[in-house]
């Protein structure tokens, strides 16, 4: 982000907050919700939203709300991914208490480099959800179709592989009626084989028919057939939205 360090941290906090709150059908987040979530005054929120809008990270309309642009979504997913990976590391590896994990991750997420993020993901064996609240860890932005490719290329010492152009969303987080193309599958070989047997492979077009509440299955359409998949699978299959 083209901002000074302190401003960058604050801006990333706002983008992460908008991302976490934008789960309604329109993806619109109002100023009051952001103010309450970050514990800052509405006036301060409005000032930052205007700056983020000028930078192209959000679309902001006074008295209506804010939505992330593609640019803003990319940044929000990046910092959210770092935060949730750090929570997994602090909780599962360092055994830090749950009452401290979130705040520690908030402090560290802004300084964790992309290289360290990638190494942390491999160390943790590509975790799929946050241990604190069970929310999906966003996909990395490396141009791989699965985690096995990442592991194998890393073993070969290949460090510069570029970045993925498109933002990806897990099937679990898609809204009813959304179309998408599978671009990335997270997990080890057994997971990949299981999804292959189900016809869920990179490049496959899918449509979400219904996301059941209370961690119920996600019903999707694949090659004119309906398929119900568990949330534990849905959170590991990422698509590029096509509608």
């Amino acid at each position: 982000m083209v901002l000074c360090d302190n401003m960058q941290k604050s801006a990333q906090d706002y983008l992460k907050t908008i991302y976490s709150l934008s789960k309604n059908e329109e993806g619109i987040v109002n100023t009051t919700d952001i103010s309450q979530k970050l514990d800052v005054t509405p006036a301060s929120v409005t000032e930052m939203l205007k700056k983020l809008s000028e930078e192209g990270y959000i679309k902001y309309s006074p008295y209506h709300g804010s939505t992330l642009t593609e640019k803003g979504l990319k940044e929000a997913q990046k910092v959210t991914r770092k935060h949730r990976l750090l929570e997994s590391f602090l909780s599962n590896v360092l055994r830090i208490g749950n009452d401290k994990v979130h705040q520690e991750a908030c402090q560290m997420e802004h300084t964790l480099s992309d290289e360290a993020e990638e190494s942390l993901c491999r160390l943790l064996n590509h975790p799929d959800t946050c241990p604190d609240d069970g929310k999906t860890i966003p996909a990395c932005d490396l141009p791989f179709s699965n985690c096995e490719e990442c592991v194998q290329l890393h073993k070969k010492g290949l460090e510069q592989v570029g970045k993925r152009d498109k933002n990806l969303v897990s099937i679990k987080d898609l809204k009813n009626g959304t179309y998408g193309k599978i671009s990335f599958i997270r997990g080890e070989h057994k997971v990949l084989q299981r999804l292959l047997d189900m016809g869920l492979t990179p490049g496959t077009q899918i449509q979400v028919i219904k996301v059941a509440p209370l961690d119920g299955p996600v019903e999707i359409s694949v090659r004119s057939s309906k398929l119900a998949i568990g949330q534990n699978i849905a959170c590991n299959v990422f698509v590029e939205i096509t509608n």
Side-chain angles (χ1 to χ4, degrees):
M1 302 181 75
V2 189
L3 300 165
C4 67
D5 288 344
N6 288 336
M7 182 66 76
Q8 178 175 335
K9 293 177 182 178
S10 179
Q12 287 179 336
D13 286 338
Y14 272 82
L15 293 175
K16 185 177 69 172
T17 298
I18 295 172
Y19 176 70
S20 69
L21 294 174
S22 61
K23 300 306 180 182
N24 57 60
E25 198 67 27
E26 295 79 21
I28 299 173
V29 180
N30 64 53
T31 300
T32 301
D33 288 342
I34 299 173
S35 174
Q36 293 176 346
K37 183 76 171 180
L38 293 176
D39 194 23
V40 295
T41 65
S44 296
V45 172
T46 298
E47 182 180 358
M48 177 58 81
L49 293 179
K50 289 179 178 178
K51 291 178 180 178
L52 291 173
S53 179
E54 292 171 357
E55 292 284 343
Y57 290 101
I58 66 170
K59 291 181 179 179
Y60 169 64
S61 176
Y63 311 109
H64 184 59
S66 303
T67 58
L68 293 168
T69 62
E70 284 298 307
K71 179 180 179 181
L73 177 60
K74 189 177 186 67
E75 185 72 20
Q77 287 183 325
K78 187 73 173 177
V79 68
T80 299
R81 172 177 166 79
K82 289 182 177 181
H83 178 91
R84 293 177 183 172
L85 282 174
L86 284 165
E87 285 194 332
S88 295
F89 175 71
L90 293 168
S91 177
N92 299 334
V93 179
L94 299 187
R95 304 298 181 185
I96 291 178
N98 291 337
D99 58 328
K100 299 178 180 179
V101 163
H102 177 73
Q103 191 57 41
E104 287 285 349
C106 284
Q107 296 296 321
M108 300 168 67
E109 65 193 30
H110 304 292
T111 57
L112 187 71
S113 69
D114 290 354
E115 182 180 3
E117 170 210 322
E118 295 163 16
S119 296
L120 188 59
C121 184
R122 287 190 293 269
L123 173 69
L124 296 171
N125 196 28
H126 317 288
D128 51 7
T129 57
C130 173
D132 180 49
D133 52 21
K135 291 184 177 180
T136 301
I137 297 175
C140 69
D141 57 4
L142 298 176
F144 300 123
S145 60
N146 59 69
C147 295
E148 288 291 316
E149 292 180 3
C150 176
V151 172
Q152 294 305 317
L153 287 177
H154 177 70
K155 288 180 178 179
K156 295 178 181 179
L158 299 179
E159 298 180 356
Q160 301 298 324
V161 295
K163 301 290 185 180
R164 185 184 287 112
D165 293 330
K166 301 293 184 178
N167 290 318
L168 303 184
V169 182
S170 74
I171 291 180
K172 178 182 177 181
D173 294 327
L174 293 177
K175 298 177 177 62
N176 294 346
T178 303
Y179 289 86
K181 180 180 71 174
I182 297 177
S183 296
F184 176 73
I185 297 173
R186 176 166 53 203
E188 58 185 12
H189 179 74
K190 291 182 179 179
V191 175
L192 297 177
Q193 186 59 53
R194 182 181 179 188
L195 293 172
L196 177 63
D197 294 341
M198 297 169 68
L200 300 177
T201 57
T204 301
Q205 296 284 342
I206 63 103
Q207 180 191 17
V208 174
I209 299 174
K210 182 180 180 181
V211 179
L214 302 177
D215 295 327
V218 179
E219 187 177 353
I220 62 175
S221 175
V222 184
R223 300 186 179 94
S224 301
S225 298
K226 291 184 179 180
L227 183 67
I229 60 176
Q231 298 249 355
N232 61 323
I233 295 177
C235 72
N236 286 312
V237 182
F238 294 83
V239 306
E240 174 188 335
I241 296 177
T242 56
N243 67 332

